[in-house]
Amino acid sequence: IMPETQHTRVGSSAEDKVIFGGCLKDLRERAELSVVGAQVSLFNLGLEVSEQSWRNWEAGRALPPATMLVDIAEILDCSVDEILARPE
């Protein structure tokens, strides 16, 4: 069980994309998924995401479409709120 932490909202600046990416990676690792595992899980939900796209999200070079956030939260077993926030 992970300790409760305070969170700050993430926006769309370059720095915020990097924060989002780090958060996404942490949640993926917490869910014990590889990047390919996350990609396959999204594919199983009917969404086509390349491995490179996921890696770009985690590196803060891009953001996933907002319409995908609920599905990403589902495969990572977390809330959309957790994806859009970072621990202080």
Side-chain angles (χ1 to χ4, degrees):
I1 298 175
M2 295 183 65
E4 291 291 321
T5 56
Q6 295 290 344
H7 291 86
T8 302
R9 292 282 170 210
V10 176
S12 61
S13 72
E15 181 182 348
D16 289 338
K17 287 180 185 177
V18 171
I19 292 167
F20 172 87
C23 184
L24 185 65
K25 182 177 181 179
D26 290 345
L27 291 167
R28 177 184 54 76
E29 290 174 346
R30 186 179 81 183
E32 298 181 355
L33 284 173
S34 65
V35 170
V36 172
Q39 175 194 11
V40 169
S41 294
L42 285 175
F43 180 80
N44 290 338
L45 293 175
L47 301 170
E48 292 190 37
V49 174
S50 70
E51 179 181 348
Q52 189 60 47
S53 289
W54 190 282
R55 290 189 188 283
N56 284 337
W57 300 342
E58 285 190 1
R61 290 186 290 267
L63 294 171
T67 55
M68 253 188 216
L69 292 176
V70 170
D71 295 308
I72 292 171
E74 181 178 331
I75 68 162
L76 298 180
D77 194 28
C78 66
S79 68
V80 171
D81 224 25
E82 287 178 276
I83 294 172
L84 297 177
R86 71 173 175 90
E88 294 221 326

